[in-house]
C-alpha cells in the first residue's frame, strides 16, 4: 500500500525547475533509496513531502492527505537531514528531549542505547558538537522516533565508517522488529545497496529509475571480450557505458542477452551503484541529444547509446 504519492509534481524557483513533473509512490513498510547527484532534486522532494515547501504544480499526498500545515500528518513523519539545525542554546540532550515530545512512538530506552553506541556527549552544546557528533544526534532521533514515515537526507555522512555501519545495523534490526516506511537519500550507494528494497533515481529534477532493487539488477549486465566481438554483440542493444583497453572492450547493456548472443563473451552482473551512475550518465547524454531509446525501470531515461564510447 502506498503511504506517500506524488503525481505530476513540479517545483520552480524563478526560471529554475528543481523538480520537473515527478510522479512516484513510497510504499508502506519498505526501505526506499532516493538516489541522485547533488542538485538533482532529492532534497526538494523531501522538503515538499514534509510540508516545508509547496509544489508549484502537481499533487502530493502523505497518508492520503496534503502534508502542508497538516499536523495530523506531520507528527507521523520524521525528516532528518545533514544540515539539521537546532537552537544555539540547546545541549545534545535537549534535542533528544524535544524529539521525544514530538514523536508519539519515541522509544527512550532505544535512544539511550544509541547514545552509548555513538558516544554522544549529552551535556555538550549542539553548536560545539563535531560534525560526527551532530550526525549522531540526527540518526538517533531518526531511529528512536520510529515514525511511520522516516526520511534520512544524508545525515550520516559525518559519521566515520564504523559509526555508519552501526547505523545501518541498528536500522535493519529495528526495522525488522518495527516495520515502517524509510527513505535513505545518499551518495554512498554501495553501502546501502543491500538495505534498500526500492530504488528511485532523480536526475535534473526528473525520475530516471523507479523500481525494486531486485528488478533493476535483473535489467542490465556487463558484457566483455575482444572488441570486435563485443561491437557485433552491441548492435541492437542499449549500451549504457563502454570501456576500451587495447583490444578488449567492456559494455554495460540494458536487458539480459541470450546465451547464444554471448557465447564467446563474459557476462557479469552489475552493482546497484554502477547501474545508477551509468544510467544517470546515459540520461544526461540523451538530454544532450545522444538518442531516443529506452532507459531502465519505470523512469524516463532515454538514448540509444548503441556502441557509444564513454
Amino acid at each position: 500500500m502506498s503511504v506517500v504519492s506524488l503525481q505530476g509534481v513540479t517545483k520552480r524557483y524563478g526560471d529554475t525547475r528543481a523538480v520537473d513533473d515527478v510522479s512516484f509512490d513510497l510504499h508502506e513498510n519498505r526501505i526506499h533509496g532516493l538516489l541522485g547527484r547533488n542538485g538533482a532534486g532529492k532534497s526538494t522532494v523531501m522538503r515538499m513531502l514534509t510540508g516545508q515547501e509547496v509544489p508549484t504544480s502537481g499533487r502530493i499526498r502523505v497518508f492520503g492527505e496534503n502534508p502542508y500545515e497538516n499536523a495530523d500528518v506531520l507528527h507521523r513523519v520524521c525528516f532528518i537531514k545533514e544540515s539539521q539545525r537546532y537552537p544555539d542554546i540547546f545541549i545534545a540532550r535537549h534535542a533528544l528531549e524535544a524529539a521525544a515530545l514530538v514523536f508519539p512512538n519515541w522509544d527512550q530506552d532505544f535512544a539511550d542505547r544509541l547514545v552509548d553506541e555513538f558516544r554522544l556527549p549529552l551535556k555538550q552544546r549542539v553548536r560545539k558538537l563535531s560534525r560526527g557528533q551532530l550526525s549522531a544526534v540526527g540518526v538517533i532521533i531518526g531511529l528512536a522516533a520510529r515514525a511511520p514515515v522516516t526520511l534520512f537526507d544524508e545525515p550520516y555522512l559525518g559519521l566515520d565508517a564504523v559509526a555508519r555501519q552501526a547505523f545501518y545495523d541498528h536500522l535493519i534490526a529495528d526495522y525488522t522488529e518495527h516495520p515502517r516506511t524509510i527513505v535513505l537519500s545518499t551518495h554512498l550507494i554501495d553501502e546501502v545497496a543491500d538495505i534498500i528494497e526500492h530504488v528511485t533515481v532523480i536526475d535534473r529534477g526528473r525520475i530516471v529509475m523507479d523500481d525494486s532493487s531486485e528488478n533493476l539488477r535483473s535489467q542490465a549486465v556487463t558484457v566483455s571480450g575482444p572488441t570486435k566481438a563485443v561491437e557485433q554483440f552491441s548492435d541492437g542493444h542499449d549500451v549504457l557505458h563502454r570501456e576500451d583497453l587495447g583490444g578488449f572492450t567492456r559494455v554495460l547493456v540494458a536487458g539480459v542477452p541470450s546465451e547464444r548472443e554471448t557465447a564467446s563473451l563474459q557476462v557479469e552482473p552489475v552493482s546497484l551503484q554502477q547501474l545508477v551512475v551509468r544510467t544517470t550518465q546515459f540520461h544526461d547524454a540523451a538530454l544532450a541529444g545522444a538518442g531516443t531509446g529506452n532507459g531502465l525501470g519505470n523512469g524516463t531515461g532515454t538514448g540509444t547509446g548503441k556502441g557509444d564510447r564513454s
Side-chain angles (χ1 to χ4, degrees):
M1 182 180 74
S2 172
V3 294
V4 174
S5 177
L6 291 84
Q7 298 178 7
V9 172
T10 293
K11 179 63 178 179
R12 294 188 183 91
Y13 299 101
D15 294 332
T16 301
R17 288 194 180 196
V19 175
D20 188 5
D21 194 24
V22 161
S23 299
F24 68 89
D25 293 333
L26 299 178
H27 299 283
E28 184 179 31
N29 299 338
R30 190 174 299 179
I31 300 179
H32 296 258
L34 182 60
L35 310 176
R37 292 180 291 188
N38 286 335
K42 306 184 303 299
S43 295
T44 302
V45 167
M46 287 188 280
R47 287 196 299 270
M48 289 189 289
L49 290 182
T50 52
Q52 297 180 35
E53 297 199 23
V54 179
T56 305
S57 60
R59 181 174 181 266
I60 295 178
R61 291 294 180 266
V62 180
F63 305 114
E65 300 181 39
N66 187 338
Y68 186 67
E69 294 186 343
N70 189 331
D72 289 339
V73 169
L74 295 179
H75 84 274
R76 291 184 281 168
V77 178
C78 181
F79 179 31
I80 304 296
K81 54 189 176 181
E82 183 187 11
S83 57
Q84 197 83 23
R85 299 185 67 86
Y86 305 94
D88 286 343
I89 62 171
F90 267 26
I91 60 175
R93 178 171 55 82
H94 291 154
L96 302 185
E97 289 175 347
L101 294 174
V102 171
F103 298 108
N105 296 332
W106 181 264
D107 187 324
Q108 187 61 50
D109 289 340
F110 187 28
D112 291 340
R113 295 198 305 272
L114 292 172
V115 166
D116 290 339
E117 174 91 25
F118 291 106
R119 303 176 183 178
L120 180 65
L122 290 177
K123 296 182 180 180
Q124 181 87 325
R125 286 198 179 274
V126 170
R127 60 187 174 86
K128 292 187 177 181
L129 294 176
S130 69
R131 186 185 180 198
Q133 291 168 335
L134 191 58
S135 294
V137 172
V139 300
I140 291 169
I141 291 174
L143 291 172
R146 290 196 179 131
V149 172
T150 302
L151 303 99
F152 290 100
D153 188 6
E154 304 196 274
Y156 33 82
L157 289 184
L159 301 175
D160 60 32
V162 174
R164 287 201 308 275
Q165 187 58 57
F167 165 66
Y168 300 139
D169 291 344
H170 283 295
L171 174 68
I172 288 296
D174 200 63
Y175 167 78
T176 300
E177 189 173 349
H178 303 278
R180 61 249 201 210
T181 300
I182 295 174
V183 178
L184 298 175
S185 173
T186 181
H187 292 94
L188 306 174
I189 301 174
D190 275 345
E191 288 192 1
V192 302
D194 293 333
I195 299 175
I196 55 180
E197 302 166 275
H198 193 100
V199 177
T200 302
V201 179
I202 188 168
D203 186 55
R204 301 192 187 201
R206 294 189 174 188
I207 301 299
V208 297
M209 298 170 70
D210 184 29
D211 208 340
S212 71
S213 300
E214 183 178 357
N215 285 344
L216 286 174
R217 286 191 180 97
S218 69
Q219 292 183 26
V221 293
T222 297
V223 177
S224 57
T227 297
K228 185 174 181 180
V230 172
E231 288 180 340
Q232 290 176 344
F233 158 79
S234 297
D235 187 28
H237 290 275
D238 282 343
V239 177
L240 305 180
H241 182 68
R242 172 173 174 157
E243 298 173 353
D244 293 301
L245 181 62
F248 184 86
T249 296
R250 181 194 306 271
V251 292
L252 175 63
V253 298
V256 179
S258 67
E259 292 184 7
R260 179 181 57 82
E261 291 180 286
T262 58
S264 60
L265 301 171
Q266 184 175 357
V267 180
E268 301 171 288
V270 297
S271 69
L272 183 60
Q273 176 159 307
Q274 193 177 18
L275 187 59
V276 170
V277 168
R278 299 311 181 192
T279 301
T280 301
Q281 292 174 336
F282 189 69
H283 177 244
D284 286 347
L287 292 179
T292 57
N294 295 322
L296 295 179
N298 298 324
T300 56
T302 57
T304 57
K306 296 182 178 67
D308 181 37
R309 295 174 184 267
S310 298

